[in-house]
Amino acid sequence: MNNLKKIVIVGGGFGGIRAALDLAKKQLPNVKIILISDKLHFEYHPSLYRVVTGRSPLEVCIPLREIFIGKNVEVLQDTIMEVNLKEKILKGSSDSHYSFDFLVLALGSETVYSNIPGLKEFSFGFKSITEALLLKKHLHEIFSICEESAREERVPEAHIIIIGGGASGVELAGELAIYAKKLAKNHKFDSSFITIDIIEAAPRLLPALPEDISKKAEHRLRHLGVNIFINRTVVKEDIEKVYFKDMEMKTKTVIWTAGVKPHHLYSQIAELTFDKKGRISVDEFLQAQGLNNIFIIGDAAATPYAGMAQTAIGDGQYVAEVIEQKLTVRPFLPHRPRAPFYLVPIGHGWTVAIIGNLRFYGRIGWWFRRLADFRFFLSILSWRKAILAFQNGKALCESCPICLPENIN
């Protein structure tokens, strides 16, 4: 057993799970695969917006034990606090120590508030199931208050502001535009009081995508009744208002989807180098620059298309291949990242899609998106469990007695 090689993967997101599954599938001799995550479940972030609008958290929350049952992967729950690359030791918050021969860091990203006063304290984040459920609970509370409020108070109470016009913000705005009207009906007040604004600092929504896609998305959101403000920068927020350079808005619901940065643990590892965006520099084999057998995958790697789930999955697949070939002393090819496809749902049954050189809009795009969701579930679960995970999205899981299914006429 002295020749046992330990492969430690830190992070239970898209990249970490894919790397662990592919390594387990290879059935390498004298190898121990350990996946360390601060959660005992995987969160399917592409469908997070659906949790806010009444869908079951089970659609986006999959226990890691379900993914790795019967696989040669040891799953541990811990938060890594220190990384000692010289000694090849990780230290967890549980005070446990983990040695490794190969290290795959797949920690993803976290919300950044750009030092805007009040934003962290008074806005709702949108990076986890916990944050999504808190937002959903808040919306039900606000709409309950609206039932009893004086007419002039309902406008600011029913005013929802989404800051960030990227994919997450656009998806959430489209879903909320439909869901808020259902909430208003359940809570018996006039839906005309509802205002949903989406704010973007760039000259257009979805600035990372082609301009024609942005125009389609903007047209769809306006059709759903969403107000769009571009070239607007947030200055500060307090408990009842959000301030921009040239205007202010009264609201009790601000949702921040605008900024992310690599996980803070990366900045504590002295041996890593970073690019201008704060991402970790890697070589052509996804190893941290100048470091052997230390791999950086997913959102934090300074590679083309970083930040996409598809990219993280591809990184995980590639790193599993490289580790196998290193262990078997075989040559390996440089990483060649694939351009991802883009599927941005905007309200139920409607999606803008870019697949290669093709564009799809509306219902066709929607089915492509649902197919992509199911294909992913199938890649990490058995057929039966993939179908169950996919179908759980049909189940309502509301946050107040008024909106429970049995109380809706």
Side-chain angles (χ1 to χ4, degrees):
M1 294 296 290
N2 292 333
N3 294 326
L4 182 72
K5 298 293 185 181
K6 290 184 180 179
I7 304 170
V8 176
I9 301 164
V10 183
F14 287 97
I17 285 175
R18 189 70 265 159
L21 284 172
D22 281 19
L23 282 165
K25 193 183 299 181
K26 295 177 186 301
Q27 298 182 336
L28 298 167
N30 298 320
V31 164
K32 184 174 184 179
I33 305 164
I34 301 171
L35 183 129
I36 304 173
S37 175
D38 58 354
K39 304 180 186 73
L40 285 177
H41 62 269
F42 163 74
E43 296 187 355
Y44 186 60
H45 288 156
S47 289
L48 200 58
Y49 70 97
R50 292 164 63 81
V51 174
V52 177
T53 56
R55 299 295 182 172
S56 169
L58 296 174
E59 185 185 11
V60 298
C61 179
I62 303 173
L64 292 176
R65 68 176 181 272
E66 297 287 349
I67 297 172
F68 292 105
I69 188 168
K71 307 290 195 302
N72 184 29
V73 177
E74 182 179 358
V75 178
L76 302 174
Q77 183 181 19
D78 203 351
T79 300
I80 299 302
M81 306 299 291
E82 296 179 21
V83 179
N84 187 329
L85 296 184
K86 291 181 180 178
E87 300 293 330
K88 294 188 175 182
I89 294 287
L90 309 176
K91 182 180 179 181
S93 60
S94 65
D95 208 29
S96 296
H97 291 70
Y98 310 96
S99 62
F100 62 85
D101 295 286
F102 295 87
L103 177 63
V104 181
L105 293 174
L107 292 157
S109 56
E110 58 191 19
T111 303
V112 59
Y113 294 95
S114 304
N115 296 317
I116 299 171
L119 199 60
K120 185 175 182 179
E121 293 79 8
F122 300 115
S123 68
F124 289 87
F126 196 61
K127 280 285 290 179
S128 69
I129 289 175
T130 300
E131 289 179 329
L133 290 173
L134 284 172
L135 175 56
K136 184 174 75 166
K137 183 174 182 288
H138 168 78
L139 291 175
H140 282 270
E141 290 172 349
I142 287 293
F143 278 66
S144 294
I145 292 170
C146 286
E147 288 183 83
E148 309 298 330
S149 299
R151 188 176 181 86
E152 63 274 10
E153 294 175 353
R154 291 185 177 183
V155 172
E157 286 173 350
H159 188 186
I160 300 169
I161 297 177
I162 300 167
I163 302 176
S168 294
V170 167
E171 289 171 1
L172 184 59
E175 197 78 2
L176 280 177
I178 298 170
Y179 180 66
K181 292 177 182 177
K182 293 180 181 178
L183 273 188
K185 182 180 178 181
N186 295 346
H187 288 266
K188 297 180 173 58
F189 79 92
D190 189 349
S191 63
S192 64
F193 286 102
I194 299 169
T195 303
I196 299 177
D197 297 334
I198 185 167
I199 315 291
E200 170 56 43
R204 58 185 175 89
L205 297 183
L206 301 175
L209 300 185
E211 190 170 352
D212 62 310
I213 294 293
S214 295
K215 289 179 179 178
K216 287 284 187 179
E218 290 175 9
H219 183 269
R220 169 65 175 172
L221 285 173
R222 288 195 174 97
H223 174 74
L224 293 173
V226 177
N227 301 316
I228 299 170
F229 296 86
I230 56 174
N231 295 311
R232 294 291 197 280
T233 304
V234 184
V235 175
K236 69 174 181 176
E237 183 189 352
D238 60 30
I239 196 166
E240 290 189 342
K241 287 183 181 180
V242 59
Y243 300 84
F244 303 89
K245 285 187 176 179
D246 54 353
M247 65 178 183
E248 60 185 56
M249 294 179 174
K250 194 170 183 180
T251 179
K252 293 183 179 178
T253 308
V254 174
I255 308 164
W256 177 256
T257 69
V260 294
K261 64 178 181 179
H263 192 281
H264 64 272
L265 182 63
Y266 290 112
S267 64
Q268 299 172 20
I269 305 173
E271 293 88 347
L272 300 182
T273 57
F274 299 83
D275 69 2
K276 293 179 180 179
K277 295 181 179 180
R279 301 179 304 178
I280 295 88
S281 300
V282 294
D283 63 18
E284 65 269 36
F285 308 114
L286 293 184
Q287 295 176 130
Q289 200 69 51
L291 299 172
N292 192 37
N293 297 339
I294 310 296
F295 299 90
I296 311 292
I297 66 174
D299 295 359
T303 61
Y305 318 120
M308 298 288 292
Q310 299 158 67
T311 303
I313 292 168
D315 289 355
Q317 292 171 329
Y318 173 77
V319 163
E321 290 289 334
V322 171
I323 292 174
E324 178 193 26
Q325 288 159 347
K326 283 194 170 201
L327 288 169
T328 55
V329 196
R330 289 188 291 153
F332 40 91
L333 296 173
H335 181 50
R336 292 188 176 87
R338 295 180 181 178
F341 51 85
Y342 298 89
L343 302 165
V344 184
I346 309 176
H348 183 77
W350 203 99
T351 293
V352 292
I354 305 177
I355 303 174
N357 294 322
L358 302 177
R359 306 280 203 275
F360 301 96
Y361 309 100
R363 180 66 65 174
I364 295 175
W366 173 262
W367 285 115
F368 272 115
R369 169 56 190 264
R370 296 304 284 155
L371 181 62
D373 290 340
F374 181 64
R375 182 184 177 190
F376 174 75
F377 290 138
L378 199 57
S379 74
I380 63 171
L381 297 167
S382 67
W383 267 95
R384 185 179 65 84
K385 290 178 180 177
I387 291 170
L388 285 174
F390 186 71
Q391 288 183 332
N392 271 327
K394 296 179 180 178
L396 284 174
C397 181
E398 291 297 5
S399 296
C400 74
I402 293 172
C403 293
L404 289 174
E406 60 266 25
N407 295 329
I408 298 174
N409 296 325

